[in-house]
Amino acid sequence: MKYESQAVAKPYFIAAIALFVGQVLFGLILGTQYLIGDFMFPEIPFNVARMVHTNLLVIWLLFGFMGASYFLVPEESERELYSPKLAIILFWVFLVAAVLTVLGYLLVPYSSLAAMTGNDIWPTMGREFLEQPTITKIGIVIVVLGFIFNIGMTVLSGRKTVISIVLLTGLVGLAVFFLFAFYNPVNLVLDKFFWWWVIHLWVEGVWELIMGAILAFVLIKVTGVDREVIEKWLYVIVAFALITGVIGTGHHYFYIGTPEYWLWLGSIFSALEPIPFFMMTLFAFNMVSRRRRDHPNKAAVLWALGTAVLSFLGAGVWGFMHTLAPVNYYTHGSQITSAHGHLAFFGAYVLIVITIISYAMPIIRGQAAAPEITQRFEKWSFWLMATGMVTITLALTGAGVLQVWLQRMAEEPMSFMATQDSITFFYWLRLAAGFVFTTGLFVYVASFFVGQKESKSTTVSE
């Protein structure tokens, strides 16, 4: 480890993995409730399980992005972190706020939670993915501003690289667009219009910058390819991601009361959104094939290549499948959307966080790479999780296609519940794949506890 302050990343990575486990366990509960409606009811109703599942996803990814930033920025800036103490304080504030919020979801009726946290004074609750109490949202803003201040001061007072600037731009965008979570207009069209400024412009906009920066950093380290080459790729990928992602927001404006031109703008630009993900795939495989060093951390290389491939499939291919307005007219809100969401989040953001953890944690522990047996566990974990998630995606796609046909296109459309009864086979398949995925996750967690007595004294220079 070149800089002592990089160790600040460790608690962020540990918290991220712990919350990831929680998210997946609630996913299993949800998958079971699709088949056995009363499962764990009334202790954990479906709407609460879904809220915890999606909120934990966002929270643990933010912990992962923060840990990644604290690890890579000192190296990119060639100086210690501006304030490690501030990073640790913000970690505990964020973790306590996250845990209290989840406990609030589980232990208090949502309406009571809203009343207890002053939602009547500044109403921001009750919207999908933005269910957090207003006071929690204010806490998130304080934590993110402190985090960006810390990272920004480190970047601005040290060496400035394309990676650190792209990362900082993505983090600032993350903070700015979250502010729209506080805007909750009475008009439903306006509400949905600006709601997407948080949801879409995070995951199909600024988060792609963060992902690209982390991927570029890891590829420089594990391949030894010249920084100039990787940075040129990053420039082009970021440009395409912003051009297509920002205007591509329009594919969420179909048939919600917005002007008709969004049908064209949304269709055209969102159809181009797979391009940056395809370029990321070419980028990763190209860099690995041109590598100038045989880095001992093979697991990190596998995670990086998996990120490129599965993000292209999930965000690119599965997104394109239902992004054109005439198709989306039938598929919107069906299980096809769920299939796209699962594979896109897993491929793009779950895997990039695991990639940086796989690369950074051995170094924080004083090793160039994890011991061989640890990497073997990681590789098994990758294939189990990837297989599980691809199967989940295929099952949801099958359920979605049948759902659209029976409920929305048939001459005598079936009701929602009757349709759900007709696609239970796919839900059983999804649940079985969920257990495979969970097994992979537990194997990944186990990888941190095996082989640590083996020592890797190998050092790798940049």
Side-chain angles (χ1 to χ4, degrees), residues 9-21 59-60 63-64 91 95:
K10 186 176 179 180
Y12 282 87
F13 290 152
I14 293 172
I17 294 168
L19 295 172
F20 183 24
V21 171
I59 292 168
W60 86 258
F63 270 108
F91 167 78
L95 185 63

PDB file of all heavy atoms in Angstrom, residues 9-21 59-60 63-64 91 95:
ATOM      1  N   ALA A   9     -10.358   2.849   3.258  1.00  0.00           N
ATOM      2  CA  ALA A   9     -11.320   2.147   2.398  1.00  0.00           C
ATOM      3  C   ALA A   9     -11.836   0.860   3.027  1.00  0.00           C
ATOM      4  O   ALA A   9     -12.958   0.416   2.728  1.00  0.00           O
ATOM      5  CB  ALA A   9     -10.680   1.840   1.053  1.00  0.00           C
ATOM      6  N   LYS A  10     -11.031   0.261   3.917  1.00  0.00           N
ATOM      7  CA  LYS A  10     -11.365  -1.077   4.436  1.00  0.00           C
ATOM      8  C   LYS A  10     -12.729  -1.141   5.126  1.00  0.00           C
ATOM      9  O   LYS A  10     -13.560  -2.007   4.777  1.00  0.00           O
ATOM     10  CB  LYS A  10     -10.259  -1.556   5.368  1.00  0.00           C
ATOM     11  CG  LYS A  10     -10.443  -2.989   5.842  1.00  0.00           C
ATOM     12  CD  LYS A  10      -9.249  -3.438   6.680  1.00  0.00           C
ATOM     13  CE  LYS A  10      -9.437  -4.858   7.182  1.00  0.00           C
ATOM     14  NZ  LYS A  10      -8.276  -5.292   7.989  1.00  0.00           N
ATOM     15  N   PRO A  11     -13.029  -0.260   6.113  1.00  0.00           N
ATOM     16  CA  PRO A  11     -14.365  -0.373   6.745  1.00  0.00           C
ATOM     17  C   PRO A  11     -15.503  -0.138   5.749  1.00  0.00           C
ATOM     18  O   PRO A  11     -16.581  -0.739   5.885  1.00  0.00           O
ATOM     19  CB  PRO A  11     -14.331   0.719   7.827  1.00  0.00           C
ATOM     20  CG  PRO A  11     -13.210   1.613   7.477  1.00  0.00           C
ATOM     21  CD  PRO A  11     -12.207   0.768   6.755  1.00  0.00           C
ATOM     22  N   TYR A  12     -15.282   0.700   4.749  1.00  0.00           N
ATOM     23  CA  TYR A  12     -16.323   0.925   3.735  1.00  0.00           C
ATOM     24  C   TYR A  12     -16.587  -0.366   2.961  1.00  0.00           C
ATOM     25  O   TYR A  12     -17.739  -0.714   2.687  1.00  0.00           O
ATOM     26  CB  TYR A  12     -15.903   2.043   2.775  1.00  0.00           C
ATOM     27  CG  TYR A  12     -16.076   3.429   3.346  1.00  0.00           C
ATOM     28  CD1 TYR A  12     -15.073   4.016   4.111  1.00  0.00           C
ATOM     29  CD2 TYR A  12     -17.252   4.153   3.136  1.00  0.00           C
ATOM     30  CE1 TYR A  12     -15.226   5.294   4.646  1.00  0.00           C
ATOM     31  CE2 TYR A  12     -17.415   5.422   3.663  1.00  0.00           C
ATOM     32  CZ  TYR A  12     -16.406   5.992   4.411  1.00  0.00           C
ATOM     33  OH  TYR A  12     -16.574   7.243   4.941  1.00  0.00           O
ATOM     34  N   PHE A  13     -15.513  -1.075   2.606  1.00  0.00           N
ATOM     35  CA  PHE A  13     -15.686  -2.328   1.864  1.00  0.00           C
ATOM     36  C   PHE A  13     -16.393  -3.379   2.722  1.00  0.00           C
ATOM     37  O   PHE A  13     -17.269  -4.108   2.242  1.00  0.00           O
ATOM     38  CB  PHE A  13     -14.328  -2.860   1.403  1.00  0.00           C
ATOM     39  CG  PHE A  13     -13.684  -2.035   0.310  1.00  0.00           C
ATOM     40  CD1 PHE A  13     -12.294  -1.995   0.178  1.00  0.00           C
ATOM     41  CD2 PHE A  13     -14.455  -1.311  -0.586  1.00  0.00           C
ATOM     42  CE1 PHE A  13     -11.699  -1.251  -0.832  1.00  0.00           C
ATOM     43  CE2 PHE A  13     -13.863  -0.547  -1.596  1.00  0.00           C
ATOM     44  CZ  PHE A  13     -12.488  -0.528  -1.718  1.00  0.00           C
ATOM     45  N   ILE A  14     -16.012  -3.453   4.006  1.00  0.00           N
ATOM     46  CA  ILE A  14     -16.643  -4.444   4.899  1.00  0.00           C
ATOM     47  C   ILE A  14     -18.133  -4.148   5.051  1.00  0.00           C
ATOM     48  O   ILE A  14     -18.982  -5.045   4.957  1.00  0.00           O
ATOM     49  CB  ILE A  14     -15.939  -4.443   6.272  1.00  0.00           C
ATOM     50  CG1 ILE A  14     -14.504  -4.974   6.115  1.00  0.00           C
ATOM     51  CG2 ILE A  14     -16.712  -5.293   7.285  1.00  0.00           C
ATOM     52  CD1 ILE A  14     -13.660  -4.845   7.360  1.00  0.00           C
ATOM     53  N   ALA A  15     -18.465  -2.870   5.259  1.00  0.00           N
ATOM     54  CA  ALA A  15     -19.885  -2.498   5.395  1.00  0.00           C
ATOM     55  C   ALA A  15     -20.645  -2.794   4.102  1.00  0.00           C
ATOM     56  O   ALA A  15     -21.786  -3.273   4.135  1.00  0.00           O
ATOM     57  CB  ALA A  15     -19.993  -1.013   5.741  1.00  0.00           C
ATOM     58  N   ALA A  16     -20.017  -2.514   2.972  1.00  0.00           N
ATOM     59  CA  ALA A  16     -20.666  -2.762   1.688  1.00  0.00           C
ATOM     60  C   ALA A  16     -21.029  -4.239   1.545  1.00  0.00           C
ATOM     61  O   ALA A  16     -22.164  -4.587   1.167  1.00  0.00           O
ATOM     62  CB  ALA A  16     -19.765  -2.318   0.542  1.00  0.00           C
ATOM     63  N   ILE A  17     -20.079  -5.116   1.861  1.00  0.00           N
ATOM     64  CA  ILE A  17     -20.334  -6.546   1.705  1.00  0.00           C
ATOM     65  C   ILE A  17     -21.419  -7.019   2.680  1.00  0.00           C
ATOM     66  O   ILE A  17     -22.300  -7.810   2.320  1.00  0.00           O
ATOM     67  CB  ILE A  17     -19.027  -7.340   1.910  1.00  0.00           C
ATOM     68  CG1 ILE A  17     -18.049  -7.008   0.779  1.00  0.00           C
ATOM     69  CG2 ILE A  17     -19.295  -8.840   1.932  1.00  0.00           C
ATOM     70  CD1 ILE A  17     -16.644  -7.505   1.016  1.00  0.00           C
ATOM     71  N   ALA A  18     -21.373  -6.517   3.920  1.00  0.00           N
ATOM     72  CA  ALA A  18     -22.385  -6.923   4.908  1.00  0.00           C
ATOM     73  C   ALA A  18     -23.787  -6.502   4.450  1.00  0.00           C
ATOM     74  O   ALA A  18     -24.749  -7.277   4.539  1.00  0.00           O
ATOM     75  CB  ALA A  18     -22.053  -6.292   6.260  1.00  0.00           C
ATOM     76  N   LEU A  19     -23.907  -5.288   3.949  1.00  0.00           N
ATOM     77  CA  LEU A  19     -25.214  -4.813   3.484  1.00  0.00           C
ATOM     78  C   LEU A  19     -25.645  -5.547   2.211  1.00  0.00           C
ATOM     79  O   LEU A  19     -26.842  -5.751   1.976  1.00  0.00           O
ATOM     80  CB  LEU A  19     -25.154  -3.297   3.235  1.00  0.00           C
ATOM     81  CG  LEU A  19     -24.920  -2.448   4.503  1.00  0.00           C
ATOM     82  CD1 LEU A  19     -24.672  -0.993   4.134  1.00  0.00           C
ATOM     83  CD2 LEU A  19     -26.112  -2.551   5.453  1.00  0.00           C
ATOM     84  N   PHE A  20     -24.669  -5.941   1.388  1.00  0.00           N
ATOM     85  CA  PHE A  20     -24.958  -6.730   0.187  1.00  0.00           C
ATOM     86  C   PHE A  20     -25.607  -8.057   0.586  1.00  0.00           C
ATOM     87  O   PHE A  20     -26.603  -8.493  -0.021  1.00  0.00           O
ATOM     88  CB  PHE A  20     -23.647  -6.961  -0.572  1.00  0.00           C
ATOM     89  CG  PHE A  20     -23.776  -7.702  -1.881  1.00  0.00           C
ATOM     90  CD1 PHE A  20     -24.972  -7.723  -2.601  1.00  0.00           C
ATOM     91  CD2 PHE A  20     -22.674  -8.379  -2.408  1.00  0.00           C
ATOM     92  CE1 PHE A  20     -25.066  -8.401  -3.812  1.00  0.00           C
ATOM     93  CE2 PHE A  20     -22.761  -9.051  -3.614  1.00  0.00           C
ATOM     94  CZ  PHE A  20     -23.961  -9.070  -4.317  1.00  0.00           C
ATOM     95  N   VAL A  21     -25.062  -8.677   1.632  1.00  0.00           N
ATOM     96  CA  VAL A  21     -25.648  -9.931   2.118  1.00  0.00           C
ATOM     97  C   VAL A  21     -27.097  -9.695   2.535  1.00  0.00           C
ATOM     98  O   VAL A  21     -28.008 -10.469   2.196  1.00  0.00           O
ATOM     99  CB  VAL A  21     -24.824 -10.502   3.291  1.00  0.00           C
ATOM    100  CG1 VAL A  21     -25.549 -11.685   3.934  1.00  0.00           C
ATOM    101  CG2 VAL A  21     -23.437 -10.932   2.818  1.00  0.00           C
ATOM    102  N   ILE A  59     -27.617   1.685  -0.927  1.00  0.00           N
ATOM    103  CA  ILE A  59     -26.723   2.060   0.186  1.00  0.00           C
ATOM    104  C   ILE A  59     -25.385   1.331   0.086  1.00  0.00           C
ATOM    105  O   ILE A  59     -24.322   1.929   0.217  1.00  0.00           O
ATOM    106  CB  ILE A  59     -27.397   1.759   1.539  1.00  0.00           C
ATOM    107  CG1 ILE A  59     -28.592   2.693   1.743  1.00  0.00           C
ATOM    108  CG2 ILE A  59     -26.404   1.946   2.686  1.00  0.00           C
ATOM    109  CD1 ILE A  59     -29.488   2.283   2.903  1.00  0.00           C
ATOM    110  N   TRP A  60     -25.435   0.020  -0.183  1.00  0.00           N
ATOM    111  CA  TRP A  60     -24.151  -0.703  -0.174  1.00  0.00           C
ATOM    112  C   TRP A  60     -23.299  -0.342  -1.382  1.00  0.00           C
ATOM    113  O   TRP A  60     -22.066  -0.326  -1.304  1.00  0.00           O
ATOM    114  CB  TRP A  60     -24.357  -2.215  -0.017  1.00  0.00           C
ATOM    115  CG  TRP A  60     -24.604  -3.062  -1.223  1.00  0.00           C
ATOM    116  CD1 TRP A  60     -25.789  -3.557  -1.642  1.00  0.00           C
ATOM    117  CD2 TRP A  60     -23.622  -3.579  -2.145  1.00  0.00           C
ATOM    118  NE1 TRP A  60     -25.629  -4.327  -2.764  1.00  0.00           N
ATOM    119  CE2 TRP A  60     -24.302  -4.356  -3.088  1.00  0.00           C
ATOM    120  CE3 TRP A  60     -22.242  -3.449  -2.256  1.00  0.00           C
ATOM    121  CZ2 TRP A  60     -23.660  -5.003  -4.146  1.00  0.00           C
ATOM    122  CZ3 TRP A  60     -21.585  -4.098  -3.305  1.00  0.00           C
ATOM    123  CH2 TRP A  60     -22.296  -4.858  -4.222  1.00  0.00           C
ATOM    124  N   PHE A  63     -21.552   2.788  -0.364  1.00  0.00           N
ATOM    125  CA  PHE A  63     -20.398   2.441   0.481  1.00  0.00           C
ATOM    126  C   PHE A  63     -19.237   1.939  -0.392  1.00  0.00           C
ATOM    127  O   PHE A  63     -18.075   2.280  -0.165  1.00  0.00           O
ATOM    128  CB  PHE A  63     -20.783   1.366   1.499  1.00  0.00           C
ATOM    129  CG  PHE A  63     -21.289   1.908   2.804  1.00  0.00           C
ATOM    130  CD1 PHE A  63     -22.630   1.824   3.136  1.00  0.00           C
ATOM    131  CD2 PHE A  63     -20.423   2.514   3.700  1.00  0.00           C
ATOM    132  CE1 PHE A  63     -23.102   2.330   4.342  1.00  0.00           C
ATOM    133  CE2 PHE A  63     -20.880   3.028   4.911  1.00  0.00           C
ATOM    134  CZ  PHE A  63     -22.233   2.940   5.230  1.00  0.00           C
ATOM    135  N   GLY A  64     -19.566   1.132  -1.400  1.00  0.00           N
ATOM    136  CA  GLY A  64     -18.529   0.605  -2.287  1.00  0.00           C
ATOM    137  C   GLY A  64     -17.847   1.700  -3.086  1.00  0.00           C
ATOM    138  O   GLY A  64     -16.616   1.730  -3.208  1.00  0.00           O
ATOM    139  N   PHE A  91     -18.087   7.697   7.764  1.00  0.00           N
ATOM    140  CA  PHE A  91     -18.430   6.278   7.656  1.00  0.00           C
ATOM    141  C   PHE A  91     -19.430   5.888   8.748  1.00  0.00           C
ATOM    142  O   PHE A  91     -20.463   5.269   8.462  1.00  0.00           O
ATOM    143  CB  PHE A  91     -17.165   5.415   7.783  1.00  0.00           C
ATOM    144  CG  PHE A  91     -17.456   3.957   8.002  1.00  0.00           C
ATOM    145  CD1 PHE A  91     -17.839   3.147   6.945  1.00  0.00           C
ATOM    146  CD2 PHE A  91     -17.378   3.388   9.285  1.00  0.00           C
ATOM    147  CE1 PHE A  91     -18.135   1.810   7.147  1.00  0.00           C
ATOM    148  CE2 PHE A  91     -17.662   2.052   9.486  1.00  0.00           C
ATOM    149  CZ  PHE A  91     -18.033   1.260   8.417  1.00  0.00           C
ATOM    150  N   LEU A  95     -23.275   4.783   8.289  1.00  0.00           N
ATOM    151  CA  LEU A  95     -23.670   3.420   8.668  1.00  0.00           C
ATOM    152  C   LEU A  95     -24.802   3.446   9.701  1.00  0.00           C
ATOM    153  O   LEU A  95     -25.791   2.700   9.567  1.00  0.00           O
ATOM    154  CB  LEU A  95     -22.462   2.663   9.234  1.00  0.00           C
ATOM    155  CG  LEU A  95     -22.718   1.184   9.562  1.00  0.00           C
ATOM    156  CD1 LEU A  95     -23.072   0.399   8.302  1.00  0.00           C
ATOM    157  CD2 LEU A  95     -21.502   0.559  10.246  1.00  0.00           C
TER     158      LEU A  95
END
